[in-house]
Amino acid sequence: MPIEVRNLTHTYMQGTISEVTAIFDINFRIDDGEFIGLIGATGSGKSTLIQHLNGLLKPSSGTVLVDGVDIWSKGVSLKKVRQKIGLVFQYPEQQVFEETVYDDIAFGPKNLGYSQKEVEGQVEEACELVGLDRELLSRSPFELSGGQVRRVAIAGILAIKPKVLILDEPTAGLDPRGRREILDNIKNLHETGISVILVSHNMDDVARLCERIMVLDKGKLVADGPAREVFSQGRFLESIDLKPPDVTVLMEKLRDRGWAVRNDVLTVEEACAEIVKELQRRGVAGAI
Ligand SMILES: Nc1ncnc2c1ncn2[C@@H]1O[C@H](COP(=O)(O)OP(=O)(O)O)[C@@H](O)[C@H]1O
Ligand SMILES: [Mg+2]
């Protein structure tokens, strides 16, 4: 189910003195099964852009095509689009409002008219996918930890069986353990075949997980390519107020000192391997 964005521009409060053009003339295509990291400084337009992908915002100009069809053309059901392209908002705990975790996860499929039995099955499956303990289903969402509430929110979207999952800063405000758990979860979900778009300003997270990186700066798409390519441009990222991944920064520092290490590593494991290789080349491998 490809998504194509053509010449997309969004202006908030058009025609008023407070008018803001949040995204400007954006073009890209997302194919089935991709795992995309959408990065950019605060205010660069990430949240605005993703809300266009499932028709929560209407373009000021340009088009969004899902499966080749303009989602704002006559006769298209936006409800169906939103079922296929699930969006988990930033700080979803602010939107938890049902009495029990079960009701919260079941809200989407119930709303789409599934039978009670189907809803139960979908809630069950969604819990399994996000590793949520069944015992929590009868609890109030307000009793859960930050990480658990995020899982409930993700499960609520998975329960409607989307083909594309978009997550807006899913780890914001979580402790390192909660963050790692959510990210591992998202990685597993992608491995089930679903396309994932992960919005984040944490470069280490997206570098470790995503295959393709899209970079927004002041509403414009300024880079879109394989993670290795995008993250090897550390100075460019810094110039648009993004902090490159720690491992990339380390490699850059070593290169400045004359070390022959690659500048396109993405994980700690890759960085270690590069350092060991260079130490061996320098004949100090015995020290390791
Ligand atoms: N509902 C809104 N009304 C007016 N301006 C908005 C609204 N939402 C976002 N903006 C503005 O649009 C720009 C992009 O915001 P946003 O898409 O939230 O960026 P990001 O998610 O990258 O932080 C910012 O200048 C922001 O102030
Ligand atoms: Mg945002």
Side-chain angles (χ1 to χ4, degrees):
M1 218 194 37
I3 303 175
E4 233 181 306
V5 165
R6 290 189 193 153
N7 307 107
L8 181 65
T9 294
H10 189 88
T11 304
Y12 287 106
M13 298 179 285
Q14 200 152 21
T16 72
I17 47 162
S18 320
E19 174 173 306
V20 182
T21 296
I23 49 170
F24 183 75
D25 197 23
I26 302 231
N27 290 281
F28 61 84
R29 179 190 163 92
I30 297 172
D31 283 309
D32 288 350
E34 288 203 80
F35 194 164
I36 296 176
L38 175 61
I39 62 175
T42 302
S44 59
K46 305 180 296 294
S47 297
T48 303
L49 175 58
I50 54 167
Q51 289 177 75
H52 279 279
L53 303 185
N54 73 349
L56 284 173
L57 286 178
K58 190 171 185 182
S60 304
S61 62
T63 43
V64 176
L65 297 105
V66 173
D67 256 341
V69 177
D70 178 350
I71 60 171
W72 288 98
S73 59
K74 239 180 154 183
V76 173
S77 153
L78 285 173
K79 196 169 166 180
K80 281 201 180 128
V81 170
R82 288 176 196 142
Q83 186 197 346
K84 287 189 259 179
I85 303 171
L87 173 60
V88 182
F89 283 98
Q90 189 169 6
Y91 296 115
E93 45 276 30
Q94 292 167 357
Q95 285 152 48
V96 167
F97 52 89
E98 296 288 335
E99 234 161 77
T100 66
V101 169
Y102 178 90
D103 289 337
D104 212 81
I105 301 175
F107 182 82
K110 261 188 202 160
N111 221 14
L112 288 167
Y114 286 102
S115 73
Q116 196 184 334
K117 200 153 180 62
E118 285 169 321
V119 173
E120 275 170 25
Q122 278 162 236
V123 171
E124 187 110 331
E125 202 179 310
C127 283
E128 199 145 307
L129 284 168
V130 298
L132 203 65
D133 201 326
R134 295 291 130 74
E135 272 177 29
L136 298 179
L137 286 174
S138 56
R139 296 253 206 106
S140 158
F142 298 99
E143 293 169 28
L144 308 185
S145 71
Q148 284 169 331
V149 180
R150 297 285 162 97
R151 276 172 213 239
V152 170
I154 298 173
I157 296 295
L158 291 174
I160 59 173
K161 295 182 169 287
K163 297 214 163 69
V164 180
L165 179 65
I166 307 173
L167 303 121
D168 197 354
E169 308 266 8
T171 60
L174 295 184
D175 60 22
R177 180 161 159 239
R179 221 177 81 194
R180 207 172 37 246
E181 285 175 359
I182 290 287
L183 291 171
D184 285 347
N185 229 228
I186 294 169
K187 186 164 174 255
N188 292 338
L189 286 174
H190 175 247
E191 281 161 8
T192 66
I194 202 166
S195 317
V196 176
I197 302 170
L198 176 63
V199 177
S200 179
H201 60 249
N202 187 313
M203 301 303 112
D204 298 289
D205 291 347
V206 284
R208 197 161 57 80
L209 292 170
C210 303
E211 294 148 2
R212 171 178 167 194
I213 306 293
M214 295 180 25
V215 187
L216 282 180
D217 178 40
K218 299 184 191 75
K220 293 200 175 127
L221 185 62
V222 290
D224 180 3
R228 254 179 230 294
E229 250 167 53
V230 173
F231 285 122
S232 63
Q233 302 169 54
R235 304 233 152 85
F236 163 68
L237 294 174
E238 277 167 12
S239 76
I240 56 170
D241 292 329
L242 287 177
K243 187 182 147 294
D246 288 340
V247 284
T248 321
V249 173
L250 174 64
M251 292 295 110
E252 211 48 65
K253 286 198 170 136
L254 290 173
R255 283 162 66 86
D256 285 346
R257 293 183 181 196
W259 284 50
V261 289
R262 278 169 33 207
N263 67 345
D264 64 349
V265 302
L266 294 175
T267 63
V268 172
E269 290 74 24
E270 285 179 2
C272 285
E274 276 300 290
I275 292 170
V276 167
K277 230 186 334 178
E278 175 66 357
L279 286 175
Q280 279 168 342
R281 201 181 63 77
R282 291 169 173 235
V284 289
I288 304 163

